[in-house]
Amino acid sequence: MIDPANDLKRYLPTSVKEMRLLGWDSVDVVIFSGDAYVDHPSFGAVVIARTLLAAGYRVALVPQPNWRDDLRDFTKFGAPRLFFGVSAGAMDSMVNHYTAARRRRHDDAYTPGGKAGMRPDYPTIVYSEVLRKLFPDTPIVAGGIEASLRRVSHYDYWQDRLRPSIIVDCKADMLMYGMGERGILELARRLDAGEKIGDITDLRQTVVRRPSDEMPAASDDNNVVLADWQTVCRDKHAQSTNFKFVEQESNRRNGGRTLWQGYNGYAVKINPMYPAMTPGEIDASFDLPYTRLPHPRYNGKRIPAYEMIRHSVNLHRGCFGGCAFCTISAHQGKFIASRSRESILREVRQVTQMPDFAGYISDLGGPSANMYGMGGKDKSICDKCLRPSCLHPVVCPNLDTDHSALLDIYHAADAMPGVKKSFVGSGVRYDLSLHHTGDRRTDAANRRYNEELIEKHVSGRLKVAPEHTEDAVLNVMRKPSFDLFYKFKEIFDGVNARTGMRQQLIPYFISSHPGCTEEQMAVLAARTKDLNMHLEQVQDFTPTPMTVATEIYYSGIHPYTGEKIFTAVCPEEKLAQRKYFFWYDKTYRDDIIRSLQRLHRPDLIGRLYPGRPYTPRVAYPAPQKTRNQSINPKKKYEHQQDSNHDSHRNAADRGKRRRR
């Protein structure tokens, strides 16, 4: 008897042998993915493959193909009947490969054993280029996070330059952005009906190359003509203005207008997004027969990204938070697509039947944990809305913030046989749950949500993301005042005291975000010290395509206001901010005190190091570096500091000898 977990017929075929086990002699679609094959709804390439399979198409999946050798991974299935699909995986490859300091990572969470090097930089470009050389006449469709967020001209932090739409750089015939189930089915049906991929130019959520004469002369009610490639390359203001249009049109409830951008001799056409999925549509995707397991080919090797989500259940897609540094709305949309209660509980039941399930759901969450079932009360207002965030600068009065439906999901999941407890591992928007609406029933439900969340759904540590403490920075981030964190912490501490629990509240913070100065980071250090916090979940800002923060980092101006915004760019500036996270580490004390003296903030020295008279040794600032010299900034910075100390000491010695 075959162990169900190892029954190859339950999986998408990854080899010709597996294809023949299914009784197939060929396939309609072959999808190449930069991730390992985990048959789970959290892995986008698998969702697309399963969607096509359920519609009757024969689909093969090639995970992490070897692009270096004889390319047999690309040829083993031959040319599919309809098209090749290409995805870099569940992350942008450059975020996956490099740290915020542009240092190469030594692991990859989406690879068996966490092994690095199993995908190239920019797999979307590399895979499509290989396929075009091998199969010049077969359509190629690019999708996934990397392609989606690079669909228009964008700043690439890792190359420190502006890049064109990825459809310009890769050999794909079409780019499909966002959540792709509806688009991929329509494309397959049209190709199956005999249409040529070059003639399919009107499909929503796709990007295609078109002749220049098809591009409108000017923007109108149906089209937005962006500044062309040549213009944005020489004018950062034009790139910044482009982003504002792209974000606004992507966030429209019904998809917005068609975007056009001219290149050398042709135009890139970006068709509008689909509206948010209905509960029936999103249920159909999550209810597909996933095994929820890695493919048997990995022989039980640990895949870190899978370990994080194996006993979790995703409740919805989309996020209306609109954080300046986040790409969720650019990919999943601003409007929430929520699963039905029945679909969620079916998946919870499936999790309880997994052999290694010990009774604990690790996460009942989503992109933001507590947006399930929420949206505008008057949809006609949403139809006209251009706000990138429903929560900033204030919570939209049209937003229904009632957490009752989410509480019902928690209660139903906890009542499921086999479930001992369900946790919320996704980030919680406390500004949403604390928002006072004036409606007695809603406000009571939201108070109950905060208390039940803390008492019953925290696995020892609750993650929240204030991101900073200072209003000027938070405003650029599109985040609420830190005063709300104090309010939420008061509730958190109160529930812990009442129940006798000793849970931790874990805040996330970002340094070097556009708009943040060294002095503001010093104040952050003092305010979190006052809260008796030694910060753990911290990171330097990493510019990623399709965020307003990245556009500010690149251009130096805010796309919506035209205001000039300071941004820490060079390694020394970044390290000068990051060190304040670790004020409690003696390694940083000398440097922090020197910096605060330079900033004329002796009050902050007193707050961080009270009652400790301390005179640090004299130091001089290191010479500044430019952006493109930052591959290993920490080592360069330390070396420069050491060299400076030596040279100044020698100069002082010479001065002493002269005085003697």
Side-chain angles (χ1 to χ4, degrees):
M1 182 175 175
I2 299 176
D3 178 357
N6 294 315
D7 183 0
L8 292 172
K9 291 184 179 180
R10 298 179 65 211
Y11 295 84
L12 298 157
T14 65
S15 67
V16 173
K17 178 182 177 181
E18 293 169 27
M19 178 184 73
R20 288 175 178 156
L21 282 175
L22 296 172
W24 303 350
D25 56 7
S26 63
V27 292
D28 300 315
V29 178
V30 183
I31 296 177
F32 294 85
S33 172
D35 291 339
Y37 175 19
V38 179
D39 198 49
H40 189 283
S42 293
F43 289 73
V46 176
V47 173
I48 295 302
R50 282 281 182 193
T51 299
L52 288 165
L53 187 67
Y57 297 101
R58 297 178 174 184
V59 187
L61 181 67
V62 182
Q64 299 188 316
N66 188 336
W67 74 99
R68 297 185 179 99
D69 58 11
D70 59 5
L71 307 180
R72 70 182 68 181
D73 283 344
F74 292 89
T75 60
K76 59 186 175 183
F77 288 106
R81 185 173 66 89
L82 297 179
F83 64 89
F84 286 113
V86 167
S87 170
M91 289 178 68
D92 183 283
S93 65
M94 304 307 281
V95 178
N96 180 282
H97 285 171
Y98 298 95
T99 68
R102 297 190 179 97
R103 290 195 290 271
R104 187 85 183 190
R105 299 187 192 274
H106 300 296
D107 56 6
D108 182 340
Y110 293 85
T111 300
K115 183 180 178 181
M118 297 303 290
R119 77 183 90 208
D121 288 354
Y122 309 107
T124 308
I125 296 172
V126 174
Y127 294 169
S128 60
E129 193 169 71
V130 170
L131 289 168
R132 180 57 70 221
K133 288 179 181 177
L134 295 172
F135 303 96
D137 301 321
T138 305
I140 301 172
V141 180
I145 291 283
E146 182 170 273
S148 181
L149 300 181
R150 295 171 180 268
R151 59 186 182 260
V152 68
S153 63
H154 57 278
Y155 172 70
D156 188 291
Y157 172 68
W158 299 273
Q159 293 189 344
D160 191 27
R161 69 180 179 94
L162 206 64
R163 291 189 65 131
S165 166
I166 200 168
I167 196 71
V168 173
D169 282 338
C170 77
K171 302 296 183 181
D173 298 282
M174 176 183 288
L175 184 159
M176 190 166 288
Y177 69 91
M179 312 307 286
E181 293 100 324
R182 288 175 292 186
I184 206 71
L185 283 178
E186 185 174 346
L187 175 64
R189 288 168 183 152
R190 291 174 68 169
L191 290 174
D192 203 12
E195 285 190 64
K196 303 296 182 183
I197 195 163
D199 297 332
I200 301 175
T201 65
D202 59 344
L203 181 58
R204 279 187 176 242
Q205 256 170 251
T206 62
V207 182
V208 293
R209 292 179 292 263
R210 301 305 303 157
S212 294
D213 57 10
E214 288 189 15
M215 183 169 65
S219 299
D220 55 34
D221 290 344
N222 299 311
N223 300 278
V224 176
V225 179
L226 302 171
D228 64 24
W229 173 242
Q230 291 79 11
T231 300
V232 297
C233 282
R234 65 174 181 265
D235 183 358
K236 291 182 177 181
H237 285 72
Q239 171 64 21
S240 180
T241 302
N242 273 4
F243 174 81
K244 178 181 176 181
F245 285 119
V246 173
E247 183 176 53
Q248 287 180 333
E249 296 303 324
S250 298
N251 282 337
R252 285 183 180 269
R253 182 166 178 263
N254 292 310
R257 296 176 287 177
T258 300
L259 302 173
W260 296 82
Q261 188 172 33
Y263 287 84
N264 296 317
Y266 61 94
V268 167
K269 181 185 183 186
I270 305 173
N271 289 306
M273 293 186 80
Y274 285 101
M277 292 175 112
T278 65
E281 289 172 329
I282 194 169
D283 283 358
S285 179
F286 277 91
D287 290 348
L288 293 168
Y290 305 98
T291 66
R292 296 183 63 88
L293 298 167
H295 191 277
R297 64 189 279 154
Y298 302 123
N299 297 315
K301 288 183 180 178
R302 180 176 178 270
I303 300 174
Y306 169 65
E307 296 297 320
M308 292 178 64
I309 51 87
R310 66 190 304 164
H311 297 144
S312 70
V313 177
N314 188 21
L315 309 184
H316 72 272
R317 291 179 183 166
C319 179
F320 49 70
C323 297
F325 48 83
C326 182
T327 60
I328 292 172
S329 63
H331 184 68
Q332 294 192 10
K334 182 176 80 169
F335 294 90
I336 304 301
S338 296
R339 300 170 63 183
S340 70
R341 183 178 188 272
E342 293 72 25
S343 174
I344 292 168
L345 295 181
R346 279 195 294 270
E347 188 174 357
V348 171
R349 188 176 298 109
Q350 189 179 2
V351 173
T352 66
Q353 295 167 358
M354 296 175 70
D356 63 342
F357 182 67
Y360 300 96
I361 301 291
S362 63
D363 186 19
L364 285 174
S368 288
N370 56 322
M371 292 184 180
Y372 176 79
M374 295 184 187
K377 290 176 278 192
D378 183 343
K379 298 299 189 290
S380 66
I381 294 176
C382 296
D383 289 342
K384 303 171 186 175
C385 181
L386 292 178
R387 282 179 57 170
S389 170
C390 300
L391 301 179
H392 185 270
V394 295
V395 177
C396 176
N398 188 48
L399 180 64
D400 180 2
T401 64
D402 189 347
H403 285 64
S404 297
L406 186 53
L407 281 171
D408 179 57
I409 296 294
Y410 292 172
H411 299 160
D414 286 346
M416 187 78 65
V419 175
K420 297 176 183 176
K421 199 166 186 177
S422 62
F423 298 115
V424 175
S426 305
V428 173
R429 289 296 301 244
Y430 53 78
D431 52 334
L432 189 56
S433 61
L434 289 174
H435 175 61
H436 179 72
T437 67
D439 181 275
R440 292 178 60 185
R441 190 185 68 83
T442 297
D443 290 342
N446 294 356
R447 285 193 298 272
R448 191 166 67 251
Y449 173 82
N450 285 327
E451 292 176 358
E452 287 195 25
L453 168 73
I454 297 165
E455 181 176 352
K456 299 180 180 180
H457 300 286
V458 176
S459 180
R461 298 159 68 107
L462 178 62
K463 297 184 295 185
V464 294
E467 309 295 5
H468 211 282
T469 61
E470 302 311 289
D471 286 345
V473 184
L474 291 167
N475 188 51
V476 178
M477 289 179 161
R478 295 177 179 162
K479 295 289 286 187
S481 169
F482 195 64
D483 291 344
L484 284 179
F485 177 81
Y486 288 122
K487 186 175 180 180
F488 186 76
K489 187 177 185 301
E490 184 179 341
I491 297 170
F492 186 87
D493 292 342
V495 172
N496 274 335
R498 175 171 56 80
T499 59
M501 295 187 292
R502 301 181 64 183
Q503 301 179 128
Q504 291 180 288
L505 187 61
I506 307 297
Y508 282 64
F509 290 98
I510 297 176
S511 61
S512 303
H513 190 277
C516 180
T517 64
E518 182 182 347
E519 185 172 357
Q520 288 163 327
M521 285 300 300
V523 178
L524 180 152
R527 294 184 73 176
T528 55
K529 177 184 183 292
D530 292 344
L531 290 167
N532 197 29
M533 288 181 169
H534 287 192
L535 302 180
E536 301 174 16
Q537 301 295 336
V538 298
Q539 65 180 36
D540 287 338
F541 169 66
T542 303
T544 53
M546 289 280 294
T547 71
V548 67
T550 297
E551 296 300 329
I552 296 172
Y553 178 95
Y554 170 68
S555 68
I557 59 174
H558 198 293
Y560 285 79
T561 66
E563 175 190 3
K564 290 184 178 180
I565 304 288
F566 168 80
T567 304
V569 170
C570 72
E572 290 75 26
E573 290 173 332
K574 288 173 173 286
L575 286 167
Q577 291 200 20
R578 191 174 188 274
K579 69 191 176 193
Y580 290 101
F581 285 142
F582 311 108
W583 59 267
Y584 52 85
D585 187 333
K586 292 180 180 179
T587 306
Y588 295 94
R589 189 189 306 165
D590 285 20
D591 198 23
I592 287 174
I593 291 176
R594 282 194 299 270
S595 296
L596 291 175
Q597 288 173 334
R598 171 173 50 80
L599 294 169
H600 306 293
R601 293 301 302 264
D603 58 315
L604 294 178
I605 298 176
R607 287 175 67 181
L608 291 174
Y609 307 109
R612 295 188 184 183
Y614 194 83
T615 305
R617 63 182 182 273
V618 177
Y620 294 82
Q624 296 296 298
K625 292 287 180 178
T626 59
R627 269 189 200 153
N628 58 6
Q629 291 175 293
S630 59
I631 297 302
N632 197 344
K634 187 172 182 181
K635 289 184 178 179
K636 288 183 178 180
Y637 178 69
E638 291 169 350
H639 173 72
Q640 289 158 4
Q641 290 291 314
D642 291 341
S643 299
N644 289 335
H645 290 159
D646 289 342
S647 63
H648 295 309
R649 184 173 62 247
N650 292 337
D653 288 343
R654 288 193 297 273
K656 288 178 183 177
R657 287 196 294 273
R658 283 195 295 271
R659 287 193 295 272
R660 287 198 297 267

